[in-house]
Amino acid sequence: MHIPDGYLSPQTYLPLWGVFIAAMAVAVKKVRQEVSVRNIPYLGMAAAFSFIIMMFNLPVPGGTTGHAVGSAVIAIIFGPYAAMISVSVALIIQALIFGDGGITAIGANCFNMAVCMPFVGWLTFRLICGKSRKPGRISVAAFFAGYISMVFAAILTGFEFGIQPLIATGVDGNALYCPYDLKIAIPAMAIEHLLIFGIVEGLVTTFIVRFFAKQENQPIYAFRNKNTDE
Amino acid sequence: MRSKIPPFLLQKEQHKISPDLSGSPGVPAIDRTVSNAAKSLKTMYIQAESAGNSRTGNDLNPIIKVVSFIYILVIISLVSSIVSQLLLGCLIFLLFVFSGIRISGVYKKILLPAFLFGFLVSVPASLNVITPGDMIFTILSLKKSYDFWIYHIPGEIGITLQGCKIVARLFLRVFNSVSLSLLLVYSTSFPRMLKAFGVFHIPDTLLMVIWLAYKFIFILCKTVEETFLAVKSRFIGNVKNQVLRKIVAGRIYFIYNKSLLTYEQTYAAMISRGYEGKIILVAENRLRGKDLLVLFCVLFVGALFLFI
């Protein structure tokens, strides 16, 4: 789902850079309020943790393995704002050092996977799990948090691809950037994520959250009482 | 002369524990994934830390390098002519040559992502189903054209000239962007690159988070490798998927705990060195005449490409 350089027009990547910067400013402010002066190494650690999570391949039923983007699981464990920063930093390092995702597309990639995805995952988890701490409920909530957030981000990416032939064409009327319009880009992105990658993300989120939920010291942000945070 | 070595010592080993190739992923598969990821992380870390030893451009101010890099990247994204993209590719190639970077190794790294993202993803756009135009090669002839829902399949499916141009443009754009990114990575160390990003008014807090994450990643990566080696030593043969899922989830939890510990230690180290919540990044050297001249040349050449 990492958009490479060359597929998005400046009309798309520049506004998305703007939205991403604004969202990051809000997230940094929120996290500073929540974790006081300790925020810097904490966020660095969260970013490294989200990067490392993407390294793990988990066996999923059916004989295949898959790795999570991890936005939903990071949002459940660290909270949505910390997830926003940590996943963004992980994506920036991936683009700058490993060439995974474009530099001009960092704004778009971060908007899809670090801004929208953690919030969709977080809201889905809270909506389904509520105040319940039953393992079955947690598993179902974690699965749908991973699944829905992944599919949502994929459709968003498909939309960004699909509008390119509408907003950036040459004098001959042909596409200058991504050549696939909405009726091709959205189904292409949605179908593979609805049927394969969304399920993988959901299962990976379930396995990790379920394991974390079993621990005595309850490290999951979503289960913490706001009054006992600090 | 007859050998006095006992036969059991000459016998070839029959009881090797082979990786499971039946399709069910076992510890060796996970181990391979982790060790490969750790290996590439370490390689890139060494590369990112030791970059800047190239012949040309080594003494250039990193701010100029980063500004020029982003400017050329934007030019690559704006240029739509295939000839201009080819010329940009030649220019980047020359910069690699002058930098004294080993060309064959670098271009091997460039070709894979360029082929995957620039060619494979865009190649269906060469068909008239997506890009109508002058047909240059017919692949399939149907009895009639079909319409279903919002899609139209023409009676004759083939490659169009306009479609080929789109594919060529996208491939060259991705190829040039990846080349340029690698040129920056190979010629500027990550710490210097990060400091240079300060010129875009990125808050020091965020730069510090990126810097710490960059350091933590490689510390945690070593931990991941070591824990997997420890886990592997506990198992012989294949392991059930259910057990394996518990192992991996357990390792992630362990990494989380290790991350927290590293964070506490880092914070304690920062406090002991006088950290009071304010971040001070050491400023880069001032801009010299040579740096400004290079920047002017880059701006001029970049603008030139827009008008070719």
Side-chain angles (χ1 to χ4, degrees):
Chain A
M1 208 165 20
H2 292 60
I3 303 171
D5 280 317
Y7 275 78
L8 297 183
S9 59
Q11 297 97 301
T12 315
Y13 69 68
L14 287 176
L16 287 174
W17 261 106
V19 175
F20 163 61
I21 289 166
M24 279 295 275
V26 174
V28 169
K29 200 177 166 185
K30 283 270 183 191
V31 172
R32 267 181 180 168
Q33 285 169 359
E34 283 183 20
V35 287
S36 71
V37 288
R38 290 181 166 220
N39 61 79
I40 309 296
Y42 176 82
L43 291 175
M45 180 272 291
F49 181 71
S50 79
F51 189 101
I52 295 289
I53 268 196
M54 295 183 204
M55 266 176 63
F56 281 91
N57 274 296
L58 269 168
V60 290
T64 55
T65 62
H67 81 86
V69 170
S71 297
V73 73
I74 298 285
I76 295 165
I77 294 171
F78 289 103
Y81 290 105
M84 208 196 255
I85 298 170
S86 56
V87 178
S88 297
V89 169
L91 289 171
I92 289 169
I93 293 175
Q94 276 183 350
L96 284 177
I97 304 181
F98 300 96
D100 202 359
I103 311 267
T104 55
I106 283 178
N109 282 327
C110 288
F111 177 73
N112 300 338
M113 286 185 275
V115 178
C116 296
M117 208 173 155
F119 270 96
V120 172
W122 167 257
L123 290 173
T124 310
F125 185 81
R126 291 298 297 261
L127 198 73
I128 298 173
C129 197
K131 287 180 179 174
S132 171
R133 298 291 176 267
K134 287 179 185 168
R137 187 89 172 257
I138 292 170
S139 297
V140 172
F143 176 82
F144 282 105
Y147 182 79
I148 292 172
S149 65
M150 183 69 152
V151 173
F152 183 83
I155 291 172
L156 205 59
T157 309
F159 178 77
E160 286 155 15
F161 280 142
I163 58 169
Q164 298 313 307
L166 302 172
I167 60 170
T169 51
V171 281
D172 54 358
N174 287 318
L176 290 175
Y177 297 91
C178 179
Y180 308 113
D181 60 14
L182 287 167
K183 65 185 177 193
I184 295 170
I186 291 187
M189 289 299 289
I191 290 168
E192 62 179 19
H193 285 84
L194 276 165
L195 300 177
I196 307 165
F197 301 118
I199 296 172
V200 172
E201 181 80 15
L203 289 171
V204 171
T205 309
T206 310
F207 298 143
I208 298 173
V209 172
R210 209 167 54 180
F211 195 92
F212 271 64
K214 279 181 194 167
Q215 306 308 313
E216 278 178 12
N217 57 347
Q218 203 64 278
I220 296 179
Y221 178 92
F223 295 159
R224 276 188 219 160
N225 185 348
K226 279 210 160 186
N227 301 324
T228 58
D229 255 4
E230 284 299 302
Chain B
M1 197 181 137
R2 203 165 169 240
S3 168
K4 288 182 180 174
I5 302 168
F8 74 89
L9 286 177
L10 293 169
Q11 203 175 355
K12 281 185 182 171
E13 200 180 341
Q14 298 287 318
H15 309 290
K16 270 186 184 169
I17 300 162
S18 57
D20 182 19
L21 300 172
S22 62
S24 169
V27 169
I30 296 278
D31 180 55
R32 235 186 352 259
T33 312
V34 170
S35 62
N36 284 346
K39 197 178 157 190
S40 62
L41 266 172
K42 272 187 262 179
T43 312
M44 288 310 288
Y45 182 73
I46 294 164
Q47 182 59 54
E49 283 290 302
S50 61
N53 298 328
S54 54
R55 281 199 302 263
T56 309
N58 186 24
D59 57 339
L60 266 182
N61 190 308
I63 293 173
I64 298 296
K65 276 190 194 175
V66 168
V67 170
S68 307
F69 163 72
I70 291 174
Y71 175 71
I72 298 287
L73 214 54
V74 171
I75 295 291
I76 290 172
S77 79
L78 286 172
V79 165
S80 55
S81 147
I82 291 171
V83 178
S84 301
Q85 289 289 353
L86 278 170
L87 288 171
L88 273 165
C90 294
L91 181 75
I92 297 166
F93 177 80
L94 285 174
L95 287 172
F96 269 117
V97 173
F98 290 133
S99 300
I101 297 165
R102 206 163 60 90
I103 300 292
S104 59
V106 171
Y107 275 86
K108 264 184 205 167
K109 283 186 181 172
I110 295 168
L111 275 173
L112 182 70
F115 176 75
L116 282 176
F117 303 117
F119 184 74
L120 270 189
V121 175
S122 67
V123 81
S126 63
L127 300 173
N128 63 334
V129 179
I130 291 163
T131 315
D134 310 323
M135 193 92 84
I136 53 170
F137 182 72
T138 307
I139 295 172
L140 187 69
S141 289
L142 304 170
K143 283 177 187 167
K144 57 172 186 164
S145 61
Y146 294 92
D147 285 289
F148 69 96
W149 192 31
I150 49 173
Y151 300 102
H152 172 75
I153 308 290
E156 210 170 47
I157 297 171
I159 295 169
T160 63
L161 182 66
Q162 287 79 358
C164 287
K165 281 182 183 171
I166 287 176
V167 176
R169 189 188 296 134
L170 268 176
F171 172 74
L172 287 170
R173 203 180 269 149
V174 173
F175 184 86
N176 287 340
S177 304
V178 177
S179 313
L180 195 67
S181 305
L182 276 186
L183 180 66
L184 182 76
V185 168
Y186 274 73
S187 63
T188 316
S189 68
F190 189 72
R192 293 189 82 196
M193 198 196 302
L194 210 58
K195 277 178 196 166
F197 277 110
V199 81
F200 299 105
H201 296 286
I202 296 173
D204 286 350
T205 314
L206 195 61
L207 290 179
M208 190 75 176
V209 173
I210 297 174
W211 169 250
L212 283 171
Y214 165 76
K215 287 287 176 193
F216 282 157
I217 283 167
F218 298 102
I219 294 167
L220 290 182
C221 178
K222 196 167 178 292
T223 313
V224 169
E225 235 188 338
E226 283 166 1
T227 52
F228 262 87
L229 187 68
V231 166
K232 200 175 74 168
S233 65
R234 284 166 48 202
F235 296 98
I236 298 171
N238 295 325
V239 185
K240 278 184 182 175
N241 273 353
Q242 201 186 356
V243 178
L244 207 56
R245 276 197 288 273
K246 275 187 186 168
I247 292 170
V248 179
R251 288 316 88 202
I252 291 173
Y253 180 70
F254 173 76
I255 297 298
Y256 169 82
N257 278 336
K258 190 83 180 168
S259 309
L260 273 180
L261 190 72
T262 313
Y263 141 63
E264 291 289 352
Q265 285 168 348
T266 309
Y267 182 69
M270 286 164 80
I271 293 286
S272 70
R273 284 160 181 80
Y275 174 67
E276 289 172 338
K278 282 183 184 174
I279 298 148
I280 305 154
L281 287 178
V282 181
E284 272 296 332
N285 298 332
R286 282 185 180 177
L287 295 178
R288 297 159 301 168
K290 186 185 170 185
D291 297 322
L292 293 172
L293 184 70
V294 169
L295 183 66
F296 176 76
C297 290
V298 170
L299 292 176
F300 178 74
V301 171
L304 211 63
F305 276 105
L306 286 177
F307 296 104
I308 293 177

